[in-house]
Amino acid sequence: MSKLNIDQQTIKELFTNKRADFLIPDYQRPYAWDISECQTLWDDIFLFAIPEDDFSKFDPEGDEYFLGPIVTFKNDANKLEIIDGQQRLTTLMLLLRAFYSFFGNMKDDNSKKTAEDISKCIWKTDEFGTPDKNKLKIDSEVTSDDDKHEFLSILKTGEVKDSQKSAYARNYRFFTEQIKSFLVQYPTYFAYLPNRIMNNCILLPIEAESQETALRIFSTLNDRGKPLSDTDIFKAQFYKFYKENNRKDEFIKRWKQLEEISDKIFSSVSGSSMDELFTRYMYYERAKMNNKNTTTEALRKFYEKDGYSLLKKDETLNNLEILANFWIHVAEQNDSVFSDKVLKKLSILNYAPNGMWAYLTSVYFMQNKDDSGSLDNVAFNDFLDKIIAFIWTYAIMRPGVNALRTPVYPEMINVVNNKRVTFDDYKFDEDSVRLALESYQFTNGRPITKSILA
């Protein structure tokens, strides 16, 4: 059973902890909060901390405001990788830094103590508890976030230039304006608001023992944000590989293009459109491993084998790009790539009872493409003839969503061994098929009926 450390803490308790060394990892999405979300946070916290515009009606010993969970795990570098709560944590850091910038000339004891507490939330401290303003308590490695340097710069300096247009800069300016207005209205009680934010706003840090456990917790808890897809994790592994080989910028450009292609051709109810691309490629790699197991492991489980070794090869990214280009030619019915006969059969396969045909076709393409990424149309047409005949017969004789896996997996292995697709072990008696066809109800809603009409 996985071990978890769960302990409700105030912002101050969590941020000032010596162990608080947060990392927004490379596979996370960029910071995305806008002004409306910051306005909601400000309004909610203000109403909580200054009820009815009267600071005296607040109970510092009993009042609490829950901000939500923060899911992390400690990585090999001893940093707390943030799996859930990245947006919230980033915004709180910007808010506290905005408050801190107002305390420079305030000499009363409450203000000095509050400023000291804020500084220990933002910067790491030495053994005497003195903040080191060169060492932030949070860092970002998000590969697709071109503005992360602005976030770190704002936290270090408390300054935003007019030229800075990132979400970090925009939200920091917003908080600065709100704080300025608050200071004008409540000059005597200015320190109370940030103090109550730190001491009475509650977070629920959940530290998991591994990335896998943290991601599972996130998927369970998260009902508003968009969960990390398998592809977000894969991107991080590729990024590390290309970064180590001084090809980071090349990778970022290629990955963005791959995402754009995938978004055009694959739909995804959850996760990422690229999950489907990785799935189709997985079946090719499975076949090369001679894997006939009809119980297909989860996508992430497959690629994480041997320390994500598949994602630490140039060949894999190259193959994913080639496979994506093949499927966009299919989606666009590209008649400069495929013959009319092939295009007709590919159109029919869109009405197949399930998606196994696409996995088998991906394996066929990867094995039989030439150096330019093209297939021989005659041979491809014969292959499509064979699988259409078998898939539709099988759908009538042995209906079931997963039934097709059993005969298809061995054929994938035949394909990568340059053998013809025959389905020899799953042939049906002709009379039985004829009888089944005669009694089959070809209603308009059935994919088989639609494919015949197509």
Side-chain angles (χ1 to χ4, degrees), residues 28-29 69-72 83-85 206 208 210-230 232-233 270-271 275 300:
Q28 279 284 11
R29 297 186 178 90
I70 304 289
V71 181
T72 64
I83 299 296
D84 184 27
I206 303 173
S210 68
Q211 181 189 72
E212 181 182 357
T213 301
L215 287 166
R216 189 166 62 248
I217 294 166
F218 174 41
S219 297
T220 302
L221 290 176
N222 191 54
D223 62 353
R224 290 183 298 173
K226 189 177 182 182
L228 289 168
S229 67
D230 289 338
D232 290 319
I233 307 300
S270 61
D275 284 356
R300 192 178 303 168

Side-chain angles (χ1 to χ4, degrees), residues 41-53 58 65 193:
L41 176 66
W42 175 267
D43 291 344
D44 289 349
I45 289 177
F46 184 86
L47 289 172
F48 162 72
I50 315 290
E52 299 178 29
D53 285 336
F58 182 83
Y65 183 80
L193 181 54

Side-chain angles (χ1 to χ4, degrees), residues 2-269:
S2 300
K3 295 180 180 178
L4 300 175
N5 291 324
I6 304 175
D7 183 20
Q8 178 176 297
Q9 296 180 32
T10 64
I11 290 176
K12 179 180 173 181
E13 288 171 336
L14 178 62
F15 286 15
T16 60
N17 192 308
K18 278 285 188 180
R19 295 176 66 254
D21 190 2
F22 298 108
L23 175 68
I24 305 172
D26 40 19
Y27 49 82
Q28 279 284 11
R29 297 186 178 90
Y31 180 59
W33 270 35
D34 57 25
I35 295 296
S36 64
E37 288 166 303
C38 291
Q39 182 74 64
T40 299
L41 176 66
W42 175 267
D43 291 344
D44 289 349
I45 289 177
F46 184 86
L47 289 172
F48 162 72
I50 315 290
E52 299 178 29
D53 285 336
D54 187 347
F55 87 99
S56 66
K57 291 186 177 181
F58 182 83
D59 178 8
E61 300 300 321
D63 289 345
E64 292 182 344
Y65 183 80
F66 183 64
L67 289 170
I70 304 289
V71 181
T72 64
F73 79 97
K74 185 169 285 188
N75 66 17
D76 293 339
N78 226 29
K79 291 181 176 290
L80 292 173
E81 282 197 23
I82 304 168
I83 299 296
D84 184 27
Q86 164 208 357
Q87 306 285 330
R88 188 180 308 115
L89 204 61
T90 299
T91 304
L92 290 172
M93 282 285 187
L94 291 171
L95 174 61
L96 290 177
R97 187 61 181 87
F99 269 114
Y100 185 80
S101 66
F102 282 84
F103 281 105
N105 298 318
M106 296 184 184
K107 304 301 181 184
D108 63 284
D109 290 342
N110 287 342
S111 295
K112 288 193 291 184
K113 180 64 172 64
T114 302
E116 181 184 351
D117 287 345
I118 293 176
S119 68
K120 292 179 180 180
C121 288
I122 298 170
W123 292 284
K124 295 178 183 178
T125 56
D126 62 21
E127 61 183 303
F128 298 103
T130 303
D132 183 343
K133 294 188 177 180
N134 292 312
K135 296 179 179 179
L136 293 169
K137 289 218 161 186
I138 191 168
D139 194 8
S140 174
E141 294 181 349
V142 180
T143 59
S144 54
D145 189 351
D146 297 331
D147 300 317
K148 57 180 177 283
H149 63 281
E150 286 192 12
F151 171 51
L152 303 178
S153 173
I154 290 169
L155 291 185
K156 287 177 181 177
T157 67
E159 298 175 357
V160 177
K161 299 176 182 177
D162 292 340
S163 60
Q164 292 176 323
K165 307 298 182 183
S166 68
Y168 302 111
R170 184 174 60 248
N171 293 345
Y172 185 76
R173 289 190 192 97
F174 167 79
F175 285 132
T176 299
E177 290 302 315
Q178 298 302 309
I179 293 168
K180 189 182 298 181
S181 297
F182 174 71
L183 179 57
V184 170
Q185 188 173 357
Y186 300 93
T188 308
Y189 309 113
F190 179 71
Y192 283 87
L193 181 54
N195 188 65
R196 289 169 181 179
I197 290 173
M198 287 188 289
N199 290 307
N200 296 84
C201 287
I202 306 298
L203 293 165
L204 184 65
I206 303 173
E207 185 179 336
E209 64 178 357
S210 68
Q211 181 189 72
E212 181 182 357
T213 301
L215 287 166
R216 189 166 62 248
I217 294 166
F218 174 41
S219 297
T220 302
L221 290 176
N222 191 54
D223 62 353
R224 290 183 298 173
K226 189 177 182 182
L228 289 168
S229 67
D230 289 338
T231 308
D232 290 319
I233 307 300
F234 302 157
K235 179 178 70 175
Q237 297 300 325
F238 270 129
Y239 177 81
K240 290 174 185 176
F241 169 72
Y242 282 94
K243 183 180 179 182
E244 288 169 1
N245 287 277
N246 297 316
R247 297 167 62 192
K248 178 186 70 173
D249 292 340
E250 173 201 335
F251 165 72
I252 292 172
K253 181 179 179 181
R254 291 171 67 186
W255 185 268
K256 185 176 181 180
Q257 291 171 342
L258 202 54
E259 282 183 322
E260 290 172 353
I261 293 173
S262 296
D263 286 342
K264 288 180 182 177
I265 54 180
F266 303 126
S267 60
S268 178
V269 177

Side-chain angles (χ1 to χ4, degrees), residues 245-310:
N245 287 277
N246 297 316
R247 297 167 62 192
K248 178 186 70 173
D249 292 340
E250 173 201 335
F251 165 72
I252 292 172
K253 181 179 179 181
R254 291 171 67 186
W255 185 268
K256 185 176 181 180
Q257 291 171 342
L258 202 54
E259 282 183 322
E260 290 172 353
I261 293 173
S262 296
D263 286 342
K264 288 180 182 177
I265 54 180
F266 303 126
S267 60
S268 178
V269 177
S270 61
S272 161
S273 61
M274 284 185 68
D275 284 356
E276 178 62 22
L277 177 62
F278 274 87
T279 299
R280 295 187 185 194
Y281 184 69
M282 175 185 72
Y283 281 98
Y284 173 60
E285 293 290 345
R286 279 181 101 251
K288 292 198 297 179
M289 297 171 186
N290 200 41
N291 189 341
K292 297 180 182 179
N293 191 343
T294 56
T295 303
T296 309
E297 60 209 305
L299 192 61
R300 192 178 303 168
K301 280 289 186 184
F302 177 81
Y303 282 101
E304 73 181 8
K305 291 175 183 174
D306 301 322
Y308 292 97
S309 59
L310 263 179

Side-chain angles (χ1 to χ4, degrees), residues 430-447:
E430 184 177 340
D431 291 337
S432 299
V433 174
R434 190 180 303 277
L435 182 62
L437 281 169
E438 289 172 354
S439 59
Y440 193 81
Q441 297 295 315
F442 289 95
T443 57
N444 288 337
R446 284 186 159 178

